[in-house]
């Protein structure tokens, strides 16, 4: 048998909303009370610090001249004008912290006042700070002009300040006890206001939740009809329907039918997406279509600063002329798989294949991953050549050029046929650098912009090849470096 408050979504919403409102009001009450208490205490501390500092400077001359009577007159004036001050104590360092002026008066000529705990006095006298604030309580009733100024057990805030000469010499200690009764009264008033507002908020929230629950309950019943129309056919149940509210129990049966149909569609969609990602890398899509590939249109573009890697097989044309078309096709797939894995494992992605050439991109802030990819490609090529050697096939060699610069990633074409591409001067430079590997007989060449963006250049073996080389299509010369690779035997 179901409990009353779980029989329907109507009662569940009312119950949960009421509990939520109560919890929220309780949290607000706690935060508000804490905030008010902190604010009032902070104001008291600031006021007490100001009073303490002013008085400590005022009494410095009086103590140095042993003008005790004038100090006591000033203390009485201070007590009369400030009802919040419970006691004032002035001790003289020259007399082993003997109390030379105080209110109440009976504390004069004592060393340890009996109106606050001993640890408070100890902290005040031993503190090296210019001003010390501590909350404590009164040990006995304190009278002033035959009236109770502070009751036993009442909370007070003691502010103690050093009385200093202008030269900085310590003369004595000024201690002022300020009642926290006004702070507690202010906090109590804040709690009362919070309770009143909470009560009003609870009633208002309950009324709103009542209306919402009624509307939502009706909506769920209508939703049940709509979902049932979406799902078609005799479908197997999937959602667990135990312990559900009445309305959701009916809805669950409809959702089970819909989920079966959606699962089939979703599986097909996943296969489509997986196939699509083989043609257009996921990183490329995330740049030009952050809202999803379903929103890709012709002309969408994004400007990025990236590292571009070009790789090309040396002597591929003459080698392909001696092979049958299917042999070339098989060779390219094996070779590109070998190189593509090295690029993928180092964080790059392949933008396109241009015959035997590979164009890869790296979207990192530094260029270390691109250099690691080039090294990994050469080592993968060593393994690839070892396999070819076992089949009595000739070794192949590649040239790799790397450059970093600003490119535009986007889509080109028209509505019926479009393609992803990366264009920019940096792409052309990277391609030209790869061509220079033949001229300088180097496996890997990189530009100065790549070297300047290395986060850990010491981990790579670099050699300056030419500090001022002009590449085709560029008027300004650039410096190129060789990245050396230790080959696997």
């Amino acid at each position: 048998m179901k409990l009353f408050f779980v029989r329907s979504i109507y009662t569940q919403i009312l119950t949960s909303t009421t509990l939520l409102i109560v919890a929220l009001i309780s949290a607000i009450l706690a935060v508000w009370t804490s905030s008010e208490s902190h604010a009032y205490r902070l104001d008291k501390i600031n006021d007490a610090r100001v009073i303490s500092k002013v008085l400590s400077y005022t009494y410095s001359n009086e103590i140095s001249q042993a003008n005790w009577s004038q100090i006591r007159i000033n203390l009485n004036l201070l007590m009369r004008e400030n009802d919040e001050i419970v006691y004032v104590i002035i001790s003289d360092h020259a007399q082993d912290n003997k109390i030379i002026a105080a209110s109440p008066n009976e504390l004069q000529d004592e060393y340890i006042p009996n109106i606050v705990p001993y640890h408070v006095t100890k902290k005040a006298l031993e503190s090296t700070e210019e001003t010390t604030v501590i909350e404590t309580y009164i040990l006995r009733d304190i009278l002033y002009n035959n009236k109770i100024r502070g009751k036993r057990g009442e909370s007070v805030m003691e502010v103690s300040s050093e009385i200093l000469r202008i030269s900085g010499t310590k003369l004595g200690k000024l201690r002022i006890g300020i009642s926290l009764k006004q702070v507690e009264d202010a906090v109590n008033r804040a709690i009362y206001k919070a309770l009143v507002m909470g009560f009003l908020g609870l009633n208002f929230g309950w009324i709103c939740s009542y209306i919402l629950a009624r509307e939502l309950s009706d909506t769920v019943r209508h939703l049940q009809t709509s979902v049932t129309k979406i799902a078609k056919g005799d479908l197997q149940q999937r959602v667990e329907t135990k312990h559900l509210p009445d309305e959701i129990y009916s809805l669950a049966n409809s959702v089970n039918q819909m989920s079966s149909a959606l699962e089939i569609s979703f599986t097909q969609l996943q296969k489509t997406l997986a196939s699509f990602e083989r043609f257009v890398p996921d990183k490329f899509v995330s740049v030009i279509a952050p809202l999803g590939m379903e929103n890709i249109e012709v002309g969408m573009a994004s400007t990025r600063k990236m590292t571009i890697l070009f790789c090309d097989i040396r002597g591929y044309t003459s080698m392909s002329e001696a092979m049958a078309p299917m042999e070339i096709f098989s060779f390219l797939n094996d070779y590109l798989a070998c190189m593509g894995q090295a690029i993928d494992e180092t964080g790059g992605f392949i933008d396109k294949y241009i015959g035997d050439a590979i164009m890869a991109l790296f979207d990192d802030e530094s260029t270390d991953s691109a250099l690691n990819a080039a090294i990994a490609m050469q080592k993968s090529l060593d393994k690839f050549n070892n396999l070819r050697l076992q089949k009595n096939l000739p070794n192949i060699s590649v040239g790799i050029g790397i450059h970093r610069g600003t490119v535009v990633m986007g889509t080109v074409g028209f509505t019926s046929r479009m393609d992803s591409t990366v264009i920019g001067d940096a792409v052309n430079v990277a391609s030209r650098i790869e061509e220079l590997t033949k001229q300088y007989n180097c496996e890997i060449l990189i530009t100065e912009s790549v070297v300047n963006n290395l986060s850990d250049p010491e981990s790579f073996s670099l050699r300056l090849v030419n500090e001022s080389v002009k590449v085709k299509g560029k008027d300004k010369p650039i410096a190129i470096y060789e990245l050396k690779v230790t080959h696997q035997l």
Side-chain angles (χ1 to χ4, degrees):
M1 181 178 178
K2 295 181 180 179
L3 297 176
F4 170 74
F5 62 88
V6 297
R7 282 194 61 84
S8 68
I9 194 171
Y10 182 86
T11 55
Q12 281 198 16
I13 290 178
L14 285 179
T15 302
S16 59
T17 305
T18 302
L19 293 175
L20 178 61
I21 294 173
V22 170
L24 182 61
I25 291 173
S26 300
I28 293 174
L29 177 61
V31 172
W32 191 0
T33 302
S34 175
S35 177
E36 290 291 313
S37 176
H38 177 73
Y40 284 124
R41 276 175 164 76
L42 192 60
D43 287 341
K44 289 295 180 185
I45 291 173
N46 291 335
D47 292 342
R49 286 180 184 272
V50 172
I51 294 173
S52 178
K53 286 185 178 181
V54 171
L55 292 178
S56 63
Y57 285 119
T58 303
Y59 294 148
S60 61
N61 290 332
E62 307 295 343
I63 290 181
S64 61
Q65 298 173 12
N67 193 356
W68 314 134
S69 60
Q70 184 60 45
I71 294 176
R72 290 160 187 162
I73 291 172
N74 291 339
L75 290 187
N76 285 327
L77 289 174
L78 178 65
M79 293 290 290
R80 272 202 298 267
E81 293 176 359
N82 295 274
D83 295 333
E84 294 180 8
I85 297 179
V86 179
Y87 63 87
V88 182
I89 301 171
I90 297 178
S91 56
D92 187 356
H93 286 343
Q95 300 184 42
D96 294 327
N97 292 319
K98 179 181 178 181
I99 298 174
I100 50 90
S103 179
N105 295 327
E106 63 266 21
L107 297 178
Q108 291 176 189
D109 298 328
E110 293 184 2
Y111 292 89
I112 305 297
N114 62 355
I115 57 175
V116 292
Y118 171 73
H119 71 87
V120 178
T121 299
K122 183 178 179 182
K123 181 177 180 180
L125 296 178
E126 294 178 354
S127 175
T128 58
E129 298 178 2
E130 186 176 347
T131 303
T132 305
V133 179
I134 184 172
E135 286 191 24
T136 184
Y137 58 92
I138 302 173
L139 296 177
R140 63 177 177 83
D141 292 347
I142 298 177
L143 299 177
Y144 179 76
N145 288 339
N146 297 322
K147 293 183 179 179
I148 294 180
R149 202 60 175 259
K151 294 183 179 180
R152 178 182 178 183
E154 182 178 326
S155 298
V156 293
M157 177 192 301
E158 181 179 290
V159 181
S160 59
S161 297
E162 293 285 354
I163 301 175
L164 306 170
R165 292 182 187 271
I166 296 177
S167 61
T169 305
K170 296 181 180 180
L171 298 174
K173 184 77 72 170
L174 170 66
R175 299 167 60 189
I176 302 176
I178 300 175
S179 174
L180 293 177
K181 190 174 183 304
Q182 289 189 359
V183 175
E184 294 172 353
D185 291 340
V187 172
N188 290 334
R189 288 194 299 270
I191 293 175
Y192 175 76
K193 292 179 182 178
L195 288 174
V196 172
M197 294 182 64
F199 177 78
L200 295 176
L202 177 61
N203 283 276
F204 177 79
W206 194 87
I207 292 172
C208 292
S209 64
Y210 172 82
I211 298 172
L212 176 64
R214 185 179 61 187
E215 293 294 329
L216 187 57
S217 181
D218 293 338
T219 301
V220 170
R221 291 188 177 93
H222 291 301
L223 183 61
Q224 174 192 346
T225 304
S226 300
V227 173
T228 304
K229 292 180 180 179
I230 295 174
K232 296 181 180 180
D234 297 327
L235 303 173
Q236 195 175 16
Q237 180 177 328
R238 295 188 176 200
V239 177
E240 180 61 48
T241 56
K242 293 181 180 179
H243 310 301
L244 290 178
D246 294 342
E247 298 88 352
I248 303 299
Y249 180 86
S250 299
L251 179 63
N253 289 326
S254 301
V255 171
N256 284 332
Q257 296 174 0
M258 182 180 64
S259 63
S260 296
L262 288 176
E263 184 182 16
I264 297 173
S265 300
F266 186 71
T267 301
Q268 294 174 343
L269 179 61
Q270 281 186 316
K271 292 180 179 179
T272 302
L273 291 176
S275 299
F276 181 80
E277 288 179 357
R278 294 190 183 101
F279 290 92
V280 181
D282 182 61
K283 291 184 179 180
F284 194 101
V285 175
S286 64
V287 172
I288 64 172
L291 299 179
M293 64 179 64
E294 67 276 9
N295 297 306
I296 292 180
E297 297 178 358
V298 175
M300 298 182 73
S302 176
T303 301
R304 310 274 285 199
K305 194 161 189 178
M306 307 185 78
T307 306
I308 305 101
L309 179 150
F310 268 90
C311 177
D312 192 25
I313 298 177
R314 292 178 179 174
Y316 173 73
T317 302
S318 58
M319 181 178 62
S320 61
E321 289 175 354
M323 300 170 64
M326 285 305 299
E327 289 178 332
I328 298 174
F329 192 80
S330 177
F331 161 74
L332 280 178
N333 278 329
D334 293 340
Y335 163 75
L336 294 175
C338 165
M339 293 303 197
Q341 184 177 0
I343 294 171
D344 187 63
E345 290 176 350
T346 50
F349 63 95
I350 296 174
D351 174 61
K352 60 173 61 72
Y353 299 111
I354 311 168
D356 63 302
I358 300 172
M359 175 181 170
L361 302 173
F362 297 83
D363 198 22
D364 301 331
E365 292 293 330
S366 66
T367 54
D368 298 61
S369 56
L371 269 63
N372 287 326
I375 295 172
M377 291 168 71
Q378 290 289 356
K379 292 183 177 181
S380 295
L381 184 63
D382 290 341
K383 296 179 181 178
F384 184 73
N385 280 327
N386 287 335
L387 294 176
R388 288 178 59 82
L389 184 62
Q390 295 174 12
K391 299 178 182 178
N392 295 322
L393 296 174
N395 286 349
I396 63 170
S397 60
V398 299
I400 298 176
I402 305 175
H403 179 61
R404 181 172 178 81
T406 302
V407 299
V408 177
M409 304 175 66
T411 55
V412 294
F414 68 109
T415 54
S416 298
R417 176 66 173 92
M418 65 179 180
D419 196 3
S420 61
T421 189
V422 178
I423 60 175
D425 182 63
V427 177
N428 297 329
V429 172
S431 177
R432 301 292 183 246
I433 296 301
E434 185 278 319
E435 292 176 359
L436 289 176
T437 58
K438 302 173 185 177
Q439 177 180 336
Y440 290 97
N441 194 26
C442 297
E443 294 179 338
I444 305 172
L445 286 179
I446 63 176
T447 62
E448 188 175 10
S449 63
V450 176
V451 176
N452 292 339
N453 283 275
L454 288 171
S455 62
D456 187 18
E458 291 78 11
S459 62
F460 300 99
S461 178
L462 300 175
R463 179 181 69 88
L464 178 63
V465 175
N466 193 329
E467 64 181 6
S468 180
V469 62
K470 291 187 65 175
V471 298
K472 185 177 180 182
K474 292 284 289 185
D475 295 330
K476 187 176 180 181
I478 59 175
I480 57 174
Y481 295 77
E482 179 187 11
L483 172 62
K484 295 185 179 180
V485 181
T486 302
H487 287 275
Q488 299 175 355
L489 298 178

